Each structure stands twice: as C-alpha cells, then as structure tokens.
Amino acid sequence: MTPGPVGFRAASVSCGRSGEVAFSAMRETYGKALRAKPGEVSTTRFVLADAPVSLRIVGSRLATLIGASFRHLLSHSDVGISPRLTIDLWDERAAGIGCPRAAREAGERGEARQEEDTGIAVGAAEDRYVGHLRPGIRLWMDRRAAHVVGCVTSTDELTIQDRGKPLYFPLLLWHADRGVPVIHAALVSTRGGGALLVGKGGRGKTTVALACVLGGLGFLGDDYIGLEQAGACRFVGHSLYDSVWLTADGEARFPALVPYAEPPERSSSMARRLLHMSDATPDRLGRSVPIRAVVATVLSTEQSSSLQPVSQAAALLALAPSSMLRLPVSGTAFFERMSRLVEHVPTYELAVGLNTTTLVPLVRRLLELEDPR
C-alpha cells in the first residue's frame, strides 16, 4: 500500500524522519505492554469495506470501549487470512507502560494548536508515517504497512468522539489510501439497496436514519460512510461505525432509543448522548449495500414529509461541502467520486416533516422501485 492523493483537514505539523522514529518507538513499546499484561490482551477481527482488520488491545476496559462501535462488523470466517489493516492499542494505566518519549516529542509543536474535533495530524499528506494526537490518545500509522499503533492515557479521559467514532483519522486515511473515500452521510437500506442521506449538519439526516431503522429498514451508519465505485455506474456504501449521537430532539422523537443511550456528556440543551445501534436494533445493521439513491434531507415545518427529484448539482451541493470540510482528510479524488455518484445514481430531496412516521414509507417505496429513475 502506498499513500494516496489526499490532504489533511486537521491542523498539521511536519515531522520528517521523526515520524518513522515515533512509529518504531510506539511499536516497540506496545510489545512491552503485551508482555507486561498478557491477561489483559484481546484480539478481534472485523471487516471494513470488504477488507479484514485485526484489532489488538492491551486493557480490557479499553477493548470494550473501542470495540463497541465495530460489533456489527465482527468476523469469524477470516481467521486464517492476513489482515489488510492491523491496529494495536494499549491502555497506559492498565498496562503500567507509558507512551514513549519519541512519540510525544514528534508532535510537541502541534499540541498547542490542538483542535477539539479533529486533533493534530503530524506529518504531510504524502508521508509514509503519520501521527494523530488528541487529548488522552496518541496514534501513529505506517501507511505502507497498514499498521496503526496507539496509546491511551486512561479510559476515563476518552472523549465521546473517541468512544463513539474511535480511530477515525487513521481509518479514514486508510480508506482513502485504498481508494474508498469516506463521506459525510448516513445510509439506510432495504433488500433492494441503500439510500444515501446527505446534507449539512442539522438538516435531518440522523432523524431520517433513526426513523427508518425503527420502521424496519437496515442501518449502515451515520456521519461516516465509505464510498466505493464498483463499476462504471455502480456504487457501494460501506459501514464504519454503529454509533449515533442522540440529541435532546432525538430523545423526544424516538423515546424507545433512550434506554440504550449513555448519559449526556454535559448538562445542556445542546448535549448529545452516545447510542450504539448494536444495542438497540442489532438485527437491522449491515456492512455494505449498493447505493440506489442519493437523498438530500432538509427540515420542514409541515406535519408530513415529502420526496421529490432534485438536480445532480443540488445533490452534490448537499453532499460535497460537508464531506470536504468536516472530515479530517480530503482531496480531488473525493470530489470526483462524489460527482460520479450523483451523475449515475438518482437524486432526490426529502423534506423532513414533524411527523417522523411519514418518512419510512417514502424511503421504503423509493428503494423498492425497480427503476428509481
């Protein structure tokens, strides 16, 4: 695997050869953590975009927190197959082994500019060795070997972002290097295929996705979806996480989901709760599905929801900006892939009404059409 033509949206600093030194130090220190606490080691295998991934973690609580979002992707059939991506993590407190000095110093210049949402990317877009630093967690990646090594200061310090969408920077970078860019969208499905829900934050994507899954449709993700072009006119959406952010509005709309969500991260009307759909609707989660429609969601003050065709340009405008600006990696290949998607897949606008029960028949009917066009 070689680094792909992507850029980093996260604030970044260069590291030169120190990136290789940092990764080597992390890999060596992870080995020490393995030997120090062999009884605290867990290994799981799961599938991302049809590729086997190995996740090894030292620290039982860390393994539970990190692995929760990937439970719907677990695999037991590829034990003898070499993973396409290896992820090794350790809990510093549980293992009694701290992060190596080389890994800390490689990113010291950038930590003062650390951003809450994206963190600091250490290294350039073309570098083989890249680091990602966030509060309480340091990750280093060898992109050519597809190997991520990371340490967590304490599970108590993991943010809701790192528990709900864990390892998102190296995972999105790995997807991009494989030619499966990750876009900002939700994805629901029937047996006939999937509807990709797109739009800026706050435009109703999560509301539609939750209404659909509670109405019997399949769920492949919210916020992060891998987009593969599997043929001249065929596109496949791949799941990354099972997690959803449940807001106060979501609690009011979908009270049946509240018992499965964590307590709010803070006492505020803007607080969000982490919800794993594997807990709430485990039989409705999927890994991959052909994309049959791109649906731009908008909020409506009407009681009933409505669906109508929309131009390719309007659908691309709903999809591209949030994907290019919100996600930590981007590039021209991302935009080209999204442009080809709306060119070959029917595009619609879904006005999300106040009565969420009216959403499900519209989406289901759309996906069960033999020819959506």
Side-chain angles (χ1 to χ4, degrees):
M1 180 185 298
T2 57
V6 299
F8 298 160
R9 298 295 312 178
S12 62
V13 294
S14 61
C15 63
R17 191 178 181 280
S18 63
E20 180 179 1
V21 174
F23 177 83
S24 298
M26 290 287 283
R27 185 175 55 189
E28 180 180 346
T29 308
Y30 173 77
K32 294 179 181 178
L34 280 176
R35 295 188 293 271
K37 296 290 182 178
E40 287 274 329
V41 179
S42 67
T43 302
T44 56
R45 299 285 291 253
F46 58 97
V47 175
L48 285 175
D50 293 331
V53 177
S54 173
L55 174 63
R56 298 188 301 173
I57 299 180
V58 182
S60 56
R61 175 164 170 73
L62 179 62
T64 298
L65 293 175
I66 297 295
S69 295
F70 304 113
R71 282 176 292 174
H72 65 304
L73 302 175
L74 291 177
S75 174
H76 305 286
S77 61
D78 60 355
V79 176
I81 301 175
S82 298
R84 299 282 295 277
L85 174 67
T86 299
I87 305 170
D88 295 327
L89 306 174
W90 83 92
D91 180 342
E92 294 184 26
R93 182 174 296 178
I97 304 291
C99 182
R101 181 177 178 180
R104 296 196 308 269
E105 290 181 345
E108 277 183 354
R109 290 195 301 151
E111 285 187 292
R113 298 187 288 121
Q114 191 148 358
E115 300 174 358
E116 180 181 355
D117 290 336
T118 56
I120 291 294
V122 185
E126 67 275 8
D127 285 354
R128 172 177 175 176
Y129 300 97
V130 173
H132 189 231
L133 314 179
R134 285 175 56 80
I137 182 169
R138 280 179 166 80
L139 302 168
W140 283 90
M141 181 179 186
D142 179 346
R143 296 166 70 185
R144 187 176 301 171
H147 189 181
V148 178
V149 185
C151 59
V152 173
T153 305
S154 168
T155 54
D156 295 334
E157 298 183 22
L158 283 178
T159 66
I160 188 174
Q161 176 71 32
D162 291 312
R163 288 182 285 111
K165 317 286 186 182
L167 312 168
Y168 68 95
F169 185 87
L171 287 184
L172 268 60
L173 182 56
W174 175 74
H175 276 81
D177 286 344
R178 293 186 63 229
V180 186
V182 173
I183 58 175
H184 176 225
L187 183 58
V188 296
S189 68
T190 65
R191 293 183 179 179
L196 194 71
L197 309 174
V198 303
K200 297 178 182 178
R203 297 292 180 90
K205 293 188 303 299
T206 301
T207 296
V208 176
L210 293 179
C212 285
V213 71
L214 290 178
L217 274 66
F219 176 88
L220 285 88
D222 186 43
D223 283 341
Y224 297 103
I225 297 295
L227 178 61
E228 177 188 6
Q229 184 165 1
C233 304
R234 184 173 183 269
F235 295 82
V236 176
H238 297 284
S239 176
L240 272 75
Y241 305 115
D242 78 336
S243 51
V244 171
W245 308 131
L246 192 64
T247 63
D249 178 69
E251 293 180 39
R253 289 177 181 266
F254 309 108
L257 295 175
V258 173
Y260 300 99
E262 290 187 1
E265 60 179 346
R266 61 182 180 274
S267 179
S268 166
S269 60
M270 299 298 292
R272 56 182 180 170
R273 303 174 67 175
L274 172 57
L275 169 66
H276 288 291
M277 299 305 291
S278 292
D279 293 326
T281 57
D283 58 330
R284 296 176 192 167
L285 274 64
R287 292 183 180 178
S288 304
V289 67
I291 297 173
R292 292 287 304 278
V294 176
V295 181
T297 62
V298 295
L299 297 179
S300 169
T301 57
E302 301 292 331
Q303 282 293 321
S304 296
S305 301
S306 60
L307 182 73
Q308 62 181 4
V310 74
S311 69
Q312 297 173 11
L316 185 60
L317 184 61
L319 170 61
S322 61
S323 293
M324 299 293 288
L325 297 177
R326 278 192 56 176
L327 303 183
V329 295
S330 64
T332 56
F334 282 32
F335 186 79
E336 292 172 358
R337 179 67 54 84
M338 290 183 284
S339 298
R340 289 195 293 271
L341 171 69
V342 299
E343 179 182 353
H344 294 291
V345 175
T347 54
Y348 299 87
E349 180 181 89
L350 175 59
V352 182
L354 300 177
N355 183 355
T356 57
T357 62
T358 63
L359 290 165
V360 182
L362 292 174
V363 177
R364 185 186 296 276
R365 191 179 310 121
L366 172 66
L367 290 177
E368 290 179 349
L369 290 173
E370 291 186 7
D371 182 2
R373 289 188 185 273

PDB file of all heavy atoms in Angstrom, residues 76-92:
ATOM      1  N   HIS A  76     -15.782 -13.952  11.927  1.00  0.00           N
ATOM      2  CA  HIS A  76     -15.179 -15.173  12.462  1.00  0.00           C
ATOM      3  C   HIS A  76     -14.763 -16.126  11.341  1.00  0.00           C
ATOM      4  O   HIS A  76     -14.318 -17.240  11.606  1.00  0.00           O
ATOM      5  CB  HIS A  76     -16.172 -15.883  13.388  1.00  0.00           C
ATOM      6  CG  HIS A  76     -16.683 -15.019  14.497  1.00  0.00           C
ATOM      7  ND1 HIS A  76     -15.913 -14.676  15.586  1.00  0.00           N
ATOM      8  CD2 HIS A  76     -17.887 -14.407  14.667  1.00  0.00           C
ATOM      9  CE1 HIS A  76     -16.619 -13.906  16.403  1.00  0.00           C
ATOM     10  NE2 HIS A  76     -17.809 -13.719  15.862  1.00  0.00           N
ATOM     11  N   SER A  77     -14.883 -15.670  10.103  1.00  0.00           N
ATOM     12  CA  SER A  77     -14.623 -16.550   8.962  1.00  0.00           C
ATOM     13  C   SER A  77     -13.270 -16.299   8.296  1.00  0.00           C
ATOM     14  O   SER A  77     -12.907 -17.009   7.369  1.00  0.00           O
ATOM     15  CB  SER A  77     -15.733 -16.386   7.917  1.00  0.00           C
ATOM     16  OG  SER A  77     -15.770 -15.051   7.444  1.00  0.00           O
ATOM     17  N   ASP A  78     -12.534 -15.270   8.746  1.00  0.00           N
ATOM     18  CA  ASP A  78     -11.278 -14.931   8.080  1.00  0.00           C
ATOM     19  C   ASP A  78     -10.085 -15.059   9.021  1.00  0.00           C
ATOM     20  O   ASP A  78      -9.089 -14.360   8.878  1.00  0.00           O
ATOM     21  CB  ASP A  78     -11.337 -13.508   7.524  1.00  0.00           C
ATOM     22  CG  ASP A  78     -11.567 -12.460   8.616  1.00  0.00           C
ATOM     23  OD1 ASP A  78     -11.771 -12.875   9.764  1.00  0.00           O
ATOM     24  OD2 ASP A  78     -11.524 -11.259   8.315  1.00  0.00           O
ATOM     25  N   VAL A  79     -10.180 -16.010   9.970  1.00  0.00           N
ATOM     26  CA  VAL A  79      -9.126 -16.152  10.978  1.00  0.00           C
ATOM     27  C   VAL A  79      -7.780 -16.459  10.336  1.00  0.00           C
ATOM     28  O   VAL A  79      -6.739 -15.974  10.776  1.00  0.00           O
ATOM     29  CB  VAL A  79      -9.504 -17.258  11.987  1.00  0.00           C
ATOM     30  CG1 VAL A  79      -8.370 -17.483  12.982  1.00  0.00           C
ATOM     31  CG2 VAL A  79     -10.794 -16.891  12.719  1.00  0.00           C
ATOM     32  N   GLY A  80      -7.765 -17.251   9.283  1.00  0.00           N
ATOM     33  CA  GLY A  80      -6.510 -17.621   8.645  1.00  0.00           C
ATOM     34  C   GLY A  80      -6.050 -16.652   7.576  1.00  0.00           C
ATOM     35  O   GLY A  80      -5.017 -16.887   6.935  1.00  0.00           O
ATOM     36  N   ILE A  81      -6.775 -15.570   7.360  1.00  0.00           N
ATOM     37  CA  ILE A  81      -6.448 -14.603   6.319  1.00  0.00           C
ATOM     38  C   ILE A  81      -5.678 -13.442   6.926  1.00  0.00           C
ATOM     39  O   ILE A  81      -6.036 -12.924   7.984  1.00  0.00           O
ATOM     40  CB  ILE A  81      -7.730 -14.086   5.635  1.00  0.00           C
ATOM     41  CG1 ILE A  81      -8.509 -15.263   5.025  1.00  0.00           C
ATOM     42  CG2 ILE A  81      -7.394 -13.063   4.565  1.00  0.00           C
ATOM     43  CD1 ILE A  81      -9.837 -14.861   4.432  1.00  0.00           C
ATOM     44  N   SER A  82      -4.616 -13.027   6.270  1.00  0.00           N
ATOM     45  CA  SER A  82      -3.831 -11.900   6.768  1.00  0.00           C
ATOM     46  C   SER A  82      -4.659 -10.632   6.724  1.00  0.00           C
ATOM     47  O   SER A  82      -5.322 -10.350   5.719  1.00  0.00           O
ATOM     48  CB  SER A  82      -2.562 -11.710   5.919  1.00  0.00           C
ATOM     49  OG  SER A  82      -1.728 -12.842   6.003  1.00  0.00           O
ATOM     50  N   PRO A  83      -4.640  -9.843   7.793  1.00  0.00           N
ATOM     51  CA  PRO A  83      -5.436  -8.611   7.802  1.00  0.00           C
ATOM     52  C   PRO A  83      -4.891  -7.590   6.817  1.00  0.00           C
ATOM     53  O   PRO A  83      -3.687  -7.521   6.561  1.00  0.00           O
ATOM     54  CB  PRO A  83      -5.300  -8.126   9.251  1.00  0.00           C
ATOM     55  CG  PRO A  83      -4.019  -8.715   9.735  1.00  0.00           C
ATOM     56  CD  PRO A  83      -3.907 -10.041   9.053  1.00  0.00           C
ATOM     57  N   ARG A  84      -5.769  -6.785   6.276  1.00  0.00           N
ATOM     58  CA  ARG A  84      -5.361  -5.687   5.404  1.00  0.00           C
ATOM     59  C   ARG A  84      -4.987  -4.456   6.220  1.00  0.00           C
ATOM     60  O   ARG A  84      -4.359  -3.534   5.714  1.00  0.00           O
ATOM     61  CB  ARG A  84      -6.494  -5.348   4.436  1.00  0.00           C
ATOM     62  CG  ARG A  84      -6.886  -6.497   3.513  1.00  0.00           C
ATOM     63  CD  ARG A  84      -5.893  -6.654   2.383  1.00  0.00           C
ATOM     64  NE  ARG A  84      -5.882  -5.508   1.511  1.00  0.00           N
ATOM     65  CZ  ARG A  84      -6.748  -5.322   0.511  1.00  0.00           C
ATOM     66  NH1 ARG A  84      -7.717  -6.201   0.293  1.00  0.00           N
ATOM     67  NH2 ARG A  84      -6.669  -4.249  -0.252  1.00  0.00           N
ATOM     68  N   LEU A  85      -5.410  -4.445   7.485  1.00  0.00           N
ATOM     69  CA  LEU A  85      -5.070  -3.372   8.407  1.00  0.00           C
ATOM     70  C   LEU A  85      -4.903  -3.966   9.792  1.00  0.00           C
ATOM     71  O   LEU A  85      -5.735  -4.759  10.240  1.00  0.00           O
ATOM     72  CB  LEU A  85      -6.168  -2.297   8.427  1.00  0.00           C
ATOM     73  CG  LEU A  85      -6.006  -1.175   9.460  1.00  0.00           C
ATOM     74  CD1 LEU A  85      -4.803  -0.301   9.126  1.00  0.00           C
ATOM     75  CD2 LEU A  85      -7.279  -0.330   9.534  1.00  0.00           C
ATOM     76  N   THR A  86      -3.821  -3.582  10.476  1.00  0.00           N
ATOM     77  CA  THR A  86      -3.562  -4.031  11.846  1.00  0.00           C
ATOM     78  C   THR A  86      -3.570  -2.823  12.766  1.00  0.00           C
ATOM     79  O   THR A  86      -2.891  -1.825  12.501  1.00  0.00           O
ATOM     80  CB  THR A  86      -2.207  -4.752  11.946  1.00  0.00           C
ATOM     81  OG1 THR A  86      -2.222  -5.905  11.092  1.00  0.00           O
ATOM     82  CG2 THR A  86      -1.931  -5.186  13.378  1.00  0.00           C
ATOM     83  N   ILE A  87      -4.326  -2.921  13.853  1.00  0.00           N
ATOM     84  CA  ILE A  87      -4.414  -1.839  14.837  1.00  0.00           C
ATOM     85  C   ILE A  87      -4.015  -2.390  16.193  1.00  0.00           C
ATOM     86  O   ILE A  87      -4.626  -3.348  16.680  1.00  0.00           O
ATOM     87  CB  ILE A  87      -5.841  -1.263  14.905  1.00  0.00           C
ATOM     88  CG1 ILE A  87      -6.312  -0.806  13.525  1.00  0.00           C
ATOM     89  CG2 ILE A  87      -5.903  -0.112  15.908  1.00  0.00           C
ATOM     90  CD1 ILE A  87      -7.787  -0.455  13.467  1.00  0.00           C
ATOM     91  N   ASP A  88      -2.994  -1.812  16.796  1.00  0.00           N
ATOM     92  CA  ASP A  88      -2.500  -2.223  18.107  1.00  0.00           C
ATOM     93  C   ASP A  88      -2.609  -1.051  19.075  1.00  0.00           C
ATOM     94  O   ASP A  88      -2.050   0.028  18.821  1.00  0.00           O
ATOM     95  CB  ASP A  88      -1.040  -2.682  18.029  1.00  0.00           C
ATOM     96  CG  ASP A  88      -0.860  -3.941  17.197  1.00  0.00           C
ATOM     97  OD1 ASP A  88      -1.781  -4.779  17.201  1.00  0.00           O
ATOM     98  OD2 ASP A  88       0.186  -4.076  16.541  1.00  0.00           O
ATOM     99  N   LEU A  89      -3.327  -1.244  20.174  1.00  0.00           N
ATOM    100  CA  LEU A  89      -3.523  -0.185  21.160  1.00  0.00           C
ATOM    101  C   LEU A  89      -3.192  -0.704  22.554  1.00  0.00           C
ATOM    102  O   LEU A  89      -3.339  -1.896  22.830  1.00  0.00           O
ATOM    103  CB  LEU A  89      -4.980   0.296  21.152  1.00  0.00           C
ATOM    104  CG  LEU A  89      -5.590   0.758  19.832  1.00  0.00           C
ATOM    105  CD1 LEU A  89      -7.072   1.053  20.030  1.00  0.00           C
ATOM    106  CD2 LEU A  89      -4.861   1.979  19.304  1.00  0.00           C
ATOM    107  N   TRP A  90      -2.783   0.214  23.423  1.00  0.00           N
ATOM    108  CA  TRP A  90      -2.658  -0.162  24.826  1.00  0.00           C
ATOM    109  C   TRP A  90      -3.116   0.968  25.729  1.00  0.00           C
ATOM    110  O   TRP A  90      -3.019   2.144  25.385  1.00  0.00           O
ATOM    111  CB  TRP A  90      -1.244  -0.618  25.159  1.00  0.00           C
ATOM    112  CG  TRP A  90      -0.225   0.443  25.457  1.00  0.00           C
ATOM    113  CD1 TRP A  90       0.095   0.957  26.688  1.00  0.00           C
ATOM    114  CD2 TRP A  90       0.651   1.098  24.529  1.00  0.00           C
ATOM    115  NE1 TRP A  90       1.103   1.881  26.585  1.00  0.00           N
ATOM    116  CE2 TRP A  90       1.464   1.987  25.274  1.00  0.00           C
ATOM    117  CE3 TRP A  90       0.818   1.027  23.142  1.00  0.00           C
ATOM    118  CZ2 TRP A  90       2.425   2.796  24.666  1.00  0.00           C
ATOM    119  CZ3 TRP A  90       1.773   1.833  22.552  1.00  0.00           C
ATOM    120  CH2 TRP A  90       2.558   2.699  23.300  1.00  0.00           C
ATOM    121  N   ASP A  91      -3.642   0.563  26.894  1.00  0.00           N
ATOM    122  CA  ASP A  91      -4.068   1.478  27.943  1.00  0.00           C
ATOM    123  C   ASP A  91      -2.873   1.673  28.878  1.00  0.00           C
ATOM    124  O   ASP A  91      -2.434   0.728  29.537  1.00  0.00           O
ATOM    125  CB  ASP A  91      -5.256   0.866  28.688  1.00  0.00           C
ATOM    126  CG  ASP A  91      -5.794   1.745  29.805  1.00  0.00           C
ATOM    127  OD1 ASP A  91      -5.072   2.661  30.254  1.00  0.00           O
ATOM    128  OD2 ASP A  91      -6.922   1.496  30.256  1.00  0.00           O
ATOM    129  N   GLU A  92      -2.333   2.895  28.920  1.00  0.00           N
ATOM    130  CA  GLU A  92      -1.130   3.148  29.713  1.00  0.00           C
ATOM    131  C   GLU A  92      -1.342   2.799  31.181  1.00  0.00           C
ATOM    132  O   GLU A  92      -0.460   2.206  31.826  1.00  0.00           O
ATOM    133  CB  GLU A  92      -0.716   4.615  29.592  1.00  0.00           C
ATOM    134  CG  GLU A  92      -0.267   5.024  28.206  1.00  0.00           C
ATOM    135  CD  GLU A  92       0.213   6.464  28.175  1.00  0.00           C
ATOM    136  OE1 GLU A  92       0.661   6.981  29.217  1.00  0.00           O
ATOM    137  OE2 GLU A  92       0.147   7.086  27.093  1.00  0.00           O
TER     138      GLU A  92
END
